[in-house]
Amino acid sequence: MSMEQMNLPGNNFEHRTMQQIVVDRLQQGIRQGLLLPGRKLVYSEIAREMNVSITPVREAMKALEAQGLVTITPHRTALVTFLTDDQVGELYAMRALLEGLATQLAVEHMTHKELLHLKRVYKELETVVGALNSNANEAARSEHIVSLQRLHDDFHLSLYAPCGNKYLLQMIQLLRGQVTTYFPVINRYHMKRVNRSQRQHLAILTACEERKPTLAASLMRNHLRQQIAVLTRHIETNSSDGKNAGDGKDQIDNSLRSGLRRDKGSAAQASTDGVSGGRATR
């Protein structure tokens, strides 16, 4: 059975499979810093490399847009999400306000079990930061960057979770998603920032242990405000990011292309198995 046959209308199992593989592969490219903020994502190029129709690619882009990783313009062009200086200031002003509040509420209600989990995440984060400081191999650093982002998100969201306000948590996750595309680039080349951030995490964790909600909230707001200068400076000095990046090369990076081809075979097998199973029950 051909890949095109597996994407016929109504063939939902296969469609979801191919869509998710496109999502996963582009997520990986963004999180490893292979696809920079402002990079144009050409639907036809991705569809050709994945050997799929354009439909699962469009659906994948919608999913990535919902995560804040991709921006779809009125002309149906997809770009890896980028920010202007003004947007950075506005975004972090909101984040400092909301995440500071969430921190204060969380420390007031945090259980011993939740505190232990937060400490475990911090220790894992410390291990990854140490690996980044000592490892110059680019392939290994790419993997560490992905782990760093996962654990960094885990630390922050685990800290905020005890606040008990689901609407506050949803808004925080939405705003945090808007800067995800810059995370791998900033943390790959700005180790001073990474180390400073980790020291700030420790100070916040200590305030949690000492049950000082006001201090923890203040430390969190300062932690976020200091990121504004780093991100703004990076945007100003890197011409590959921002508005003009979409005018650059349209081809997917070789490293990303090889991953797409590698996943294509597993997608075909999974889809064929799903169809065979469906027919056997008829």
Side-chain angles (χ1 to χ4, degrees), residues 80-138:
V80 179
T81 297
F82 65 88
L83 299 170
T84 65
D85 292 353
D86 289 342
Q87 288 171 329
V88 169
E90 293 170 0
L91 177 61
Y92 272 91
M94 287 296 297
R95 284 191 57 187
L97 180 65
L98 297 180
E99 293 180 46
L101 174 60
T103 299
Q104 180 165 344
L105 294 174
V107 176
E108 291 172 355
H109 298 93
M110 189 176 293
T111 65
H112 181 65
K113 182 178 179 180
E114 290 167 333
L115 180 59
L116 288 178
H117 173 73
L118 192 61
K119 292 174 71 174
R120 283 195 297 269
V121 174
Y122 171 82
K123 289 179 180 179
E124 291 181 47
L125 196 52
E126 185 76 1
T127 299
V128 174
V129 171
L132 275 170
N133 277 307
S134 61
N135 200 326
N137 180 276
E138 283 303 307

Side-chain angles (χ1 to χ4, degrees), residues 9 28 30 34 44 56 60 62 67 74 76 81 120 127-128 146 158 173 192 197 229 232 235 254 262 274 279:
Q28 182 176 345
I30 292 170
L34 301 176
S44 59
K62 291 178 183 178
Q67 297 171 24
R76 313 309 298 170
T81 297
R120 283 195 297 269
T127 299
V128 174
V146 173
S158 295
Q173 287 185 296
K192 287 184 179 180
S197 177
T232 300
I235 291 172
N254 289 333
R262 184 170 58 251
R279 285 178 177 172

Side-chain angles (χ1 to χ4, degrees), residues 9 20 43 46 52 79 83 113 116 140 143 174 202 235 251:
Q20 190 56 51
Y43 291 27
I46 296 170
V52 298
L79 303 174
L83 299 170
K113 182 178 179 180
L116 288 178
E143 294 302 319
L174 176 64
L202 178 58
I235 291 172
Q251 300 298 312

Side-chain angles (χ1 to χ4, degrees), residues 35-39 80-83 181-182 185 234 240-242 245:
L35 298 173
L36 298 178
R39 174 71 178 276
V80 179
T81 297
F82 65 88
L83 299 170
T181 56
Y182 285 94
V185 184
H234 175 82
S240 61
D241 295 348

